[in-house]
Amino acid sequence: MSPSRTVQDPATLPLPPGRQGLPWIGHTLRYVRDPLGLFDEVYAEHGPVSWLGAAGRRWTCLLGPDASEAVFRNADHAFASGPGWSYLVGPFFDRGLMLLDGEEHHRHRRIMQQAFTADRIARSTDAMHGPVDASLDTWRPTGGFAAYPALKELTLDLATRLFMGGTDASPERMAALNRAFVDCVQAATSVVRVPLPGTRWRRGLRGRILLEDFLREHLPRARAVETDDLFSALCHARSEEGEVFTDADVVNHMIFLLMAAHDTSTITLSAMMQHLGQHPDWQDRCRAEVLALGSRPTRADHAALPSLDLVMRESMRLVTPVPVVARQAVKDTAVLGHRIPAGSFVMTAPLFTHHSPEVWRDPERFDPERFAEGRREDKVHRYAWHPFGGGVHKCLGMHFGGAEVLTVMSHLLRRFEWRVDPGYVCPIDYTSLPFPSDGLPVDLRPRPVA
């Protein structure tokens, strides 16, 4: 039996060991600079269960696949997602699906699943090609091309088109919306968590207001006519009991989904561009699969892109889009021989597990074949690889995200070649979700369109 499944009486167990770090700040700055180094150090000193100070709180750290399983299986219903995430991002992503629990979460998730059926994802995949081509038409291949901001602009445009049926907002307003999403996400690791001038917290609150205003402006159109986009689907969704989302529900879910739909995809696409640029053999291999298909591959065609799928999985392992997952214990519980008291803020770290030498062979090496049949290193434990989380809060849009990444990358491989210095080490900023602080410069060159 897995240690995470052993029944233990919390009252008989010791509290986790740990360390505060700096007063109030704790280890926040260390996390932003080098979260993996911090987790490696904590794990070496205390093992899979410990605590550390960060962002004004004491956080219980549950590290490694067994500890992650205890959180995501949540067998005794001790861990709540809402209060954990609410402390970090509640004012900015209030009542998004990730911040709901229990029956309310189940009801909202059931309604929202209408937007992520296999048929809808297939139709969305077909609808992506035109916008992706139009966006790539604006790229100007050159040495030192900043790939990350270009990809982020592309994925935000895709999100607004597919989730909202498009918008007539100016490029300047779209840039402001992009900045608002960044401000909301980066506020999570704020040291100063009150809206003082010049703070990330205040910028996040202003970003939330901008996003709400934008969506409320478009809400009447979505309410008036039922169309195929997510915004309209949420406006017209109805439970079996006849319950519908309020305007506030729709706006809250849209803000969270628009962020999730373009931030995590951008991170994955950026990592894929880096590693394919540093490994031209893999780039050529993936391009050959893409060129064997038509110029607009369908969702069903993605099954014919096994190498690209391997690269996507390995890139998500190396640069985990959501490095940590937050929870709060709502009652005393036991994890791997330690008592977690009610009220404890808890984090588990997919980033740590994805780089653990106890789970992966040579974990810092780019090796997509580790996911191939015959090896399947990701199968050594149910939570060896879990970039989408797990349990009842597992990412609802993971299949949509995979379709988006494979579609965008198919167009990139068809239209461009690129190289990245093999010795390049991407400077990743972990102020919130990871992103390359230098914009990910690549040597981008056009290729004949096939």
Side-chain angles (χ1 to χ4, degrees), residues 264-415:
T264 55
S265 294
T266 305
I267 292 163
T268 300
L269 286 163
S270 176
M272 291 174 75
M273 284 200 74
Q274 176 196 335
H275 293 297
L276 288 177
Q278 292 179 307
H279 298 85
D281 54 332
W282 273 97
Q283 186 176 151
D284 292 343
R285 176 172 164 177
C286 291
R287 182 175 292 107
E289 291 178 354
V290 167
L291 294 178
L293 300 175
S295 60
R296 298 195 166 197
T298 65
R299 179 59 174 158
D301 289 334
H302 288 168
L305 301 174
S307 298
L308 194 56
D309 184 71
L310 294 178
V311 170
M312 179 175 67
R313 291 169 183 268
E314 177 71 338
S315 296
M316 295 180 78
R317 183 187 70 82
L318 288 167
V319 185
T320 306
V322 182
V324 299
V325 174
R327 296 288 188 266
Q328 187 177 40
V330 295
K331 63 181 181 181
D332 284 8
T333 190
V335 176
L336 300 180
H338 290 86
R339 175 163 61 97
I340 313 299
S344 299
F345 283 89
V346 174
M347 70 166 73
T348 187
L351 173 69
F352 172 82
T353 303
H354 290 173
H355 287 262
S356 172
E358 296 177 9
V359 178
W360 306 91
R361 285 181 285 177
D362 196 4
E364 300 310 310
R365 184 164 66 94
F366 175 75
D367 181 12
E369 291 285 1
R370 69 175 79 244
F371 289 91
E373 295 302 327
R375 284 182 61 181
R376 294 308 302 262
E377 291 181 31
D378 58 310
K379 295 297 186 181
V380 300
H381 192 287
R382 183 177 181 180
Y383 286 94
W385 186 76
H386 55 289
F388 302 104
V392 298
H393 283 89
K394 191 170 186 178
C395 178
L396 184 63
M398 62 181 182
H399 296 298
F400 173 88
E404 179 183 15
V405 168
L406 292 175
T407 298
V408 173
M409 191 55 66
S410 293
H411 283 267
L412 285 170
L413 288 164
R414 184 176 290 274
R415 295 182 58 155

Side-chain angles (χ1 to χ4, degrees), residues 179-220:
R179 184 69 247 173
F181 281 119
V182 172
D183 289 342
C184 287
V185 174
Q186 290 193 346
T189 55
S190 294
V191 174
V192 178
R193 305 182 77 80
V194 290
L196 297 178
T199 61
R200 290 206 306 271
W201 198 259
R202 183 169 181 172
R203 289 194 295 272
L205 291 173
R206 287 181 170 178
R208 167 75 190 203
I209 292 171
L210 190 153
L211 295 170
E212 283 189 8
D213 289 346
F214 176 75
L215 288 166
R216 288 189 180 278
E217 178 184 318
H218 288 77
L219 191 62

Side-chain angles (χ1 to χ4, degrees), residues 85 89 92-93 96-99 109 112 116 148 151-152 155-156 158-160 163 177-178 180-182 184-185 211 215 230 251-269 316 321-322 387-388 393-405 433-434:
W85 282 116
V89 298
F92 321 109
F93 297 104
L97 191 63
M98 186 174 69
L99 281 73
R109 187 180 178 97
M112 292 176 66
F116 296 103
Y148 178 80
L151 288 168
K152 200 165 193 307
T155 57
L156 180 59
L158 269 182
T160 55
F163 283 8
L177 289 172
N178 207 337
F181 281 119
V182 172
C184 287
V185 174
L211 295 170
L215 288 166
L230 177 65
V251 169
N252 290 332
H253 287 311
M254 284 296 298
I255 289 175
F256 176 73
L257 288 170
L258 282 168
M259 178 278 295
H262 85 281
D263 259 358
T264 55
S265 294
T266 305
I267 292 163
T268 300
L269 286 163
M316 295 180 78
V322 182
F388 302 104
H393 283 89
K394 191 170 186 178
C395 178
L396 184 63
M398 62 181 182
H399 296 298
F400 173 88
E404 179 183 15
V405 168
L433 301 183

Side-chain angles (χ1 to χ4, degrees), residues 100-116:
L100 301 179
D101 287 290
E103 175 54 33
E104 184 178 39
H105 168 263
H106 178 69
R107 178 171 60 86
H108 281 235
R109 187 180 178 97
R110 185 172 61 246
I111 295 171
M112 292 176 66
Q113 282 174 335
Q114 297 176 41
F116 296 103

Side-chain angles (χ1 to χ4, degrees), residues 139-181:
W139 286 27
R140 298 294 176 261
T142 184
F145 178 82
Y148 178 80
L151 288 168
K152 200 165 193 307
E153 182 178 340
L154 184 158
T155 57
L156 180 59
D157 179 62
L158 269 182
T160 55
R161 287 175 182 267
L162 298 176
F163 283 8
M164 295 182 59
T167 175
D168 56 1
S170 67
E172 292 76 19
R173 192 173 189 194
M174 292 303 295
L177 289 172
N178 207 337
R179 184 69 247 173
F181 281 119

